[in-house]
Amino acid sequence: GEACSIFAGPFTVTHHKSTLLIAGMFSFMNAGSGSNQSNHMYKLGPIHQGVLERGSKTSSDSYILWPSRIGPFSLIMGRHVTHSDTTNLPFSYLIEEKGTTYLAPGVNLRSVGTIRDVQKWPVRDKRKDTEKLDCINFNLLSPYTMQKVIKGLQLLKNLQYSSGELSDLYSYHSTKIRNRALMKGVKYYNIALTKFLGNSIITKLKEIKKGDGEDVIHSALMPCS
């Protein structure tokens, strides 16, 4: 493929000659065949840039008109020309239907492909030195993505409150969210948040021994710098 003026973070890959990545920032990203972007708005030269946050994927023949910013672990399908900003709605599908960008928040959390990606990245890390200078976090659920999930939950609830629970369609940053998709997004984000917090508590309690008192448990659960 072709790449020009991009910041390619770890594990930014494409396996296709027809892929174009231009004027964007990517990481843990898999670009499909025929994926491309444009940054000139038909002016005299390049004037815009975009960000596909970590873990994003593009389907075959997808297109994005910069400037746009796509949240972590999102899947982009179709042609998107409305300058979407979904940075606080991670794990989403962006699907184009008749020129309109539809957003399905959180749905990528249930995808086995997402889990497979997270498992294969550490295996592809071929660094041999015991002291790895690059700070690479392979985790799917991390403080970074969970902060986005918390903001996404609040955002979806605010949309529901402002437009009404019975609305068929919600508008957000040049995208459309169907009622059913919004409800599922709230459900998936709550599951992800519960999973992350549960794992974090279990990790902190691993050193607790049978018979330890409440003081020891409270101490183990205290925030650490």
Side-chain angles (χ1 to χ4, degrees):
E2 180 183 352
C4 181
S5 299
I6 73 166
F7 187 99
F11 305 97
T12 299
V13 298
T14 177
H15 302 283
H16 310 283
K17 289 184 177 180
S18 56
T19 300
L20 169 66
L21 299 180
I22 186 168
M25 185 168 74
F26 314 87
S27 65
F28 294 89
M29 186 262 193
N30 191 341
S33 173
S35 298
N36 71 93
Q37 310 87 46
S38 61
N39 66 334
H40 50 73
M41 288 284 289
Y42 304 103
K43 308 292 188 197
L44 292 178
I47 56 174
H48 295 300
Q49 61 190 26
V51 177
L52 265 62
E53 298 189 33
R54 63 183 288 136
S56 293
K57 282 184 174 182
T58 58
S59 69
S60 296
D61 299 319
S62 68
Y63 169 81
I64 308 174
L65 178 62
W66 296 148
S68 292
R69 185 172 183 131
I70 309 301
F73 295 98
S74 294
L75 172 65
I76 298 127
M77 303 174 66
R79 299 179 61 83
H80 303 275
V81 297
T82 53
H83 311 298
S84 304
D85 183 352
T86 67
T87 182
N88 289 323
L89 290 169
F91 305 103
S92 297
Y93 281 5
L94 276 86
I95 302 172
E96 177 247 340
E97 293 182 16
K98 298 179 179 179
T100 301
T101 296
Y102 288 90
L103 180 69
V107 72
N108 212 21
L109 280 163
R110 70 178 188 179
S111 170
V112 68
T114 302
I115 304 301
R116 185 188 63 184
D117 286 344
V118 174
Q119 291 174 340
K120 73 186 180 186
W121 290 325
V123 177
R124 293 180 176 178
D125 186 356
K126 301 303 180 183
R127 292 175 294 170
K128 303 297 183 183
D129 200 314
T130 54
E131 183 181 355
K132 295 179 172 60
L133 300 179
D134 296 311
C135 183
I136 300 176
N137 186 341
F138 293 103
N139 293 335
L140 176 71
L141 304 182
S142 66
Y144 169 74
T145 53
M146 286 303 100
Q147 181 189 39
K148 302 277 189 182
V149 164
I150 292 170
K151 289 181 178 179
L153 258 176
Q154 191 59 54
L155 192 158
L156 293 178
K157 290 177 180 178
N158 289 344
L159 279 176
Q160 196 176 39
Y161 175 79
S162 61
S163 299
E165 293 186 9
L166 300 180
S167 294
D168 292 329
L169 211 58
Y170 301 89
S171 297
Y172 177 72
H173 280 225
S174 304
T175 68
K176 302 293 184 183
I177 306 175
R178 293 188 171 96
N179 184 295
R180 188 178 177 187
L182 185 144
M183 298 296 291
K184 285 187 175 181
V186 171
K187 173 185 173 183
Y188 294 141
Y189 285 160
N190 274 316
I191 291 173
L193 194 55
T194 301
K195 170 73 171 170
F196 174 73
L197 293 175
N199 287 349
S200 300
I201 291 172
I202 290 170
T203 300
K204 283 181 171 288
L205 294 177
K206 277 185 176 179
E207 303 302 321
I208 302 297
K209 298 181 178 61
K210 186 176 181 180
D212 285 342
E214 290 185 4
D215 291 342
V216 178
I217 296 174
H218 290 162
S219 177
L221 292 175
M222 289 294 291
C224 55
S225 57

Short mmCIF file of all heavy atoms in Angstrom, two decimals, residues 7 12 15 17 19 25 53 79 81 84 92 102 107 119 128 131 137 141-142 149-151 160 172 186 217 223 225:
data_model
loop_
_atom_site.label_atom_id
_atom_site.label_comp_id
_atom_site.label_asym_id
_atom_site.label_seq_id
_atom_site.Cartn_x
_atom_site.Cartn_y
_atom_site.Cartn_z
N PHE A 7 1.59 9.18 11.20
CA PHE A 7 2.24 8.73 12.43
C PHE A 7 1.74 7.31 12.65
O PHE A 7 0.60 7.10 13.07
CB PHE A 7 1.86 9.63 13.61
CG PHE A 7 2.62 9.31 14.86
CD1 PHE A 7 3.73 10.06 15.24
CD2 PHE A 7 2.23 8.27 15.67
CE1 PHE A 7 4.43 9.77 16.41
CE2 PHE A 7 2.92 7.96 16.84
CZ PHE A 7 4.03 8.71 17.20
N THR A 12 0.60 -1.06 13.20
CA THR A 12 -0.22 -0.49 12.13
C THR A 12 0.11 -1.25 10.86
O THR A 12 1.23 -1.18 10.38
CB THR A 12 0.09 1.01 11.94
OG1 THR A 12 -0.22 1.70 13.15
CG2 THR A 12 -0.72 1.60 10.80
N HIS A 15 -2.19 -5.46 4.44
CA HIS A 15 -1.67 -6.56 3.62
C HIS A 15 -2.08 -6.38 2.16
O HIS A 15 -2.10 -7.34 1.39
CB HIS A 15 -2.19 -7.90 4.14
CG HIS A 15 -1.85 -8.15 5.58
ND1 HIS A 15 -0.60 -8.55 6.00
CD2 HIS A 15 -2.59 -8.03 6.70
CE1 HIS A 15 -0.59 -8.68 7.31
NE2 HIS A 15 -1.78 -8.37 7.77
N LYS A 17 -2.02 -3.96 -1.54
CA LYS A 17 -1.34 -2.94 -2.34
C LYS A 17 -2.23 -1.72 -2.58
O LYS A 17 -1.72 -0.63 -2.85
CB LYS A 17 -0.90 -3.53 -3.68
CG LYS A 17 0.25 -4.52 -3.57
CD LYS A 17 0.68 -5.00 -4.94
CE LYS A 17 1.88 -5.94 -4.83
NZ LYS A 17 2.33 -6.42 -6.15
N THR A 19 -4.13 -0.08 -0.54
CA THR A 19 -4.44 0.72 0.65
C THR A 19 -3.70 2.05 0.63
O THR A 19 -2.53 2.11 0.29
CB THR A 19 -4.04 -0.05 1.93
OG1 THR A 19 -4.76 -1.27 1.98
CG2 THR A 19 -4.36 0.75 3.17
N MET A 25 -3.03 9.68 12.17
CA MET A 25 -2.34 8.98 13.24
C MET A 25 -3.07 7.66 13.50
O MET A 25 -4.29 7.64 13.67
CB MET A 25 -2.30 9.83 14.51
CG MET A 25 -1.49 9.18 15.62
SD MET A 25 -1.14 10.31 17.01
CE MET A 25 -2.75 10.38 17.78
N GLU A 53 -7.96 6.14 16.51
CA GLU A 53 -7.35 5.74 17.76
C GLU A 53 -7.12 4.23 17.79
O GLU A 53 -7.64 3.48 16.97
CB GLU A 53 -8.22 6.21 18.93
CG GLU A 53 -8.35 7.73 18.99
CD GLU A 53 -9.03 8.21 20.26
OE1 GLU A 53 -8.87 7.58 21.31
OE2 GLU A 53 -9.73 9.23 20.18
N ARG A 79 -18.29 4.74 3.00
CA ARG A 79 -17.68 6.04 2.70
C ARG A 79 -18.26 7.09 3.66
O ARG A 79 -19.47 7.28 3.72
CB ARG A 79 -17.95 6.43 1.25
CG ARG A 79 -17.36 5.44 0.25
CD ARG A 79 -17.67 5.86 -1.19
NE ARG A 79 -17.11 7.16 -1.50
CZ ARG A 79 -15.85 7.36 -1.87
NH1 ARG A 79 -15.01 6.34 -1.97
NH2 ARG A 79 -15.41 8.57 -2.15
N VAL A 81 -18.10 11.06 4.83
CA VAL A 81 -17.68 12.39 4.36
C VAL A 81 -18.16 13.50 5.28
O VAL A 81 -18.13 14.68 4.91
CB VAL A 81 -18.20 12.64 2.93
CG1 VAL A 81 -17.60 11.64 1.96
CG2 VAL A 81 -19.73 12.59 2.87
N SER A 84 -16.75 12.89 11.13
CA SER A 84 -17.24 12.32 12.39
C SER A 84 -16.20 12.48 13.50
O SER A 84 -15.00 12.48 13.25
CB SER A 84 -17.56 10.83 12.19
OG SER A 84 -18.47 10.64 11.14
N SER A 92 -16.94 0.85 18.59
CA SER A 92 -18.14 1.10 17.80
C SER A 92 -17.98 0.62 16.36
O SER A 92 -16.87 0.40 15.88
CB SER A 92 -18.48 2.60 17.81
OG SER A 92 -18.77 3.05 19.10
N TYR A 102 -23.96 5.89 10.15
CA TYR A 102 -24.67 5.34 11.30
C TYR A 102 -23.65 4.77 12.28
O TYR A 102 -22.71 4.08 11.89
CB TYR A 102 -25.66 4.27 10.88
CG TYR A 102 -26.88 4.83 10.17
CD1 TYR A 102 -26.90 4.99 8.79
CD2 TYR A 102 -28.01 5.21 10.89
CE1 TYR A 102 -28.00 5.51 8.14
CE2 TYR A 102 -29.13 5.74 10.25
CZ TYR A 102 -29.12 5.89 8.87
OH TYR A 102 -30.21 6.41 8.23
N VAL A 107 -20.62 -2.03 20.11
CA VAL A 107 -20.93 -3.35 19.55
C VAL A 107 -19.68 -4.18 19.27
O VAL A 107 -19.72 -5.41 19.24
CB VAL A 107 -21.79 -3.18 18.27
CG1 VAL A 107 -20.96 -2.63 17.12
CG2 VAL A 107 -22.46 -4.48 17.89
N GLN A 119 -5.03 -10.76 21.37
CA GLN A 119 -4.20 -11.92 21.68
C GLN A 119 -3.01 -12.05 20.73
O GLN A 119 -1.94 -12.54 21.14
CB GLN A 119 -5.05 -13.19 21.64
CG GLN A 119 -6.08 -13.28 22.76
CD GLN A 119 -7.01 -14.47 22.61
OE1 GLN A 119 -7.15 -15.04 21.52
NE2 GLN A 119 -7.65 -14.85 23.70
N LYS A 128 13.81 -8.55 21.46
CA LYS A 128 14.58 -9.56 22.20
C LYS A 128 15.16 -9.02 23.51
O LYS A 128 15.42 -9.79 24.43
CB LYS A 128 15.72 -10.10 21.33
CG LYS A 128 15.26 -10.69 19.99
CD LYS A 128 14.36 -11.90 20.19
CE LYS A 128 13.99 -12.51 18.82
NZ LYS A 128 13.06 -13.65 18.98
N GLU A 131 15.13 -5.38 28.48
CA GLU A 131 14.67 -4.04 28.85
C GLU A 131 14.06 -3.38 27.62
O GLU A 131 14.74 -2.86 26.75
CB GLU A 131 15.84 -3.18 29.37
CG GLU A 131 15.40 -1.81 29.84
CD GLU A 131 16.56 -0.95 30.32
OE1 GLU A 131 17.69 -1.46 30.37
OE2 GLU A 131 16.31 0.22 30.64
N ASN A 137 1.23 -0.92 25.66
CA ASN A 137 0.20 -1.57 26.46
C ASN A 137 -0.72 -2.35 25.53
O ASN A 137 -1.43 -1.76 24.71
CB ASN A 137 -0.59 -0.51 27.25
CG ASN A 137 -1.58 -1.13 28.22
OD1 ASN A 137 -1.94 -2.29 28.09
ND2 ASN A 137 -2.02 -0.35 29.19
N LEU A 141 -8.93 -3.74 27.73
CA LEU A 141 -9.57 -2.94 28.77
C LEU A 141 -8.47 -2.34 29.64
O LEU A 141 -7.83 -3.03 30.41
CB LEU A 141 -10.51 -3.81 29.61
CG LEU A 141 -11.59 -4.57 28.83
CD1 LEU A 141 -12.49 -5.35 29.79
CD2 LEU A 141 -12.43 -3.64 27.97
N SER A 142 -8.27 -1.06 29.49
CA SER A 142 -7.21 -0.35 30.21
C SER A 142 -7.80 0.95 30.75
O SER A 142 -8.91 1.35 30.35
CB SER A 142 -6.04 -0.06 29.27
OG SER A 142 -6.46 0.87 28.27
N VAL A 149 -15.04 4.69 27.84
CA VAL A 149 -16.30 3.99 28.09
C VAL A 149 -17.17 4.78 29.07
O VAL A 149 -18.39 4.93 28.87
CB VAL A 149 -16.03 2.56 28.62
CG1 VAL A 149 -17.30 1.96 29.24
CG2 VAL A 149 -15.54 1.66 27.50
N ILE A 150 -16.57 5.30 30.13
CA ILE A 150 -17.32 6.09 31.12
C ILE A 150 -17.92 7.34 30.45
O ILE A 150 -19.09 7.67 30.65
CB ILE A 150 -16.42 6.48 32.30
CG1 ILE A 150 -16.05 5.23 33.11
CG2 ILE A 150 -17.10 7.50 33.20
CD1 ILE A 150 -14.97 5.47 34.16
N LYS A 151 -17.11 8.02 29.65
CA LYS A 151 -17.61 9.21 28.93
C LYS A 151 -18.69 8.81 27.93
O LYS A 151 -19.68 9.53 27.76
CB LYS A 151 -16.45 9.91 28.22
CG LYS A 151 -15.48 10.61 29.16
CD LYS A 151 -14.38 11.31 28.38
CE LYS A 151 -13.43 12.06 29.31
NZ LYS A 151 -12.33 12.73 28.57
N GLN A 160 -30.13 10.34 25.20
CA GLN A 160 -31.44 9.75 25.46
C GLN A 160 -32.33 10.73 26.23
O GLN A 160 -33.53 10.85 25.95
CB GLN A 160 -31.25 8.45 26.26
CG GLN A 160 -32.45 7.54 26.29
CD GLN A 160 -32.14 6.25 27.01
OE1 GLN A 160 -31.44 6.23 28.01
NE2 GLN A 160 -32.66 5.14 26.50
N TYR A 172 -25.38 12.66 16.65
CA TYR A 172 -24.19 12.99 17.43
C TYR A 172 -23.01 13.20 16.51
O TYR A 172 -22.60 12.29 15.78
CB TYR A 172 -23.87 11.87 18.43
CG TYR A 172 -22.60 12.13 19.20
CD1 TYR A 172 -22.55 13.10 20.19
CD2 TYR A 172 -21.43 11.42 18.91
CE1 TYR A 172 -21.37 13.36 20.88
CE2 TYR A 172 -20.26 11.66 19.59
CZ TYR A 172 -20.24 12.64 20.58
OH TYR A 172 -19.06 12.90 21.25
N VAL A 186 -25.33 1.20 25.74
CA VAL A 186 -25.36 1.36 27.19
C VAL A 186 -25.11 0.01 27.87
O VAL A 186 -24.33 -0.09 28.83
CB VAL A 186 -26.70 1.96 27.65
CG1 VAL A 186 -26.83 1.91 29.17
CG2 VAL A 186 -26.84 3.40 27.15
N ILE A 217 -7.24 -5.92 54.02
CA ILE A 217 -8.03 -5.83 52.78
C ILE A 217 -8.19 -4.37 52.37
O ILE A 217 -8.02 -4.02 51.19
CB ILE A 217 -9.41 -6.51 52.97
CG1 ILE A 217 -9.24 -8.00 53.23
CG2 ILE A 217 -10.29 -6.28 51.74
CD1 ILE A 217 -10.50 -8.73 53.58
N PRO A 223 -5.78 3.23 46.67
CA PRO A 223 -5.08 3.66 45.44
C PRO A 223 -3.59 3.77 45.68
O PRO A 223 -3.14 4.13 46.77
CB PRO A 223 -5.69 5.03 45.14
CG PRO A 223 -6.97 5.07 45.91
CD PRO A 223 -6.75 4.22 47.12
N SER A 225 0.24 5.10 43.90
CA SER A 225 0.78 6.04 42.92
C SER A 225 1.54 5.28 41.83
O SER A 225 1.95 4.15 42.02
CB SER A 225 1.72 7.03 43.61
OG SER A 225 2.76 6.34 44.27
#
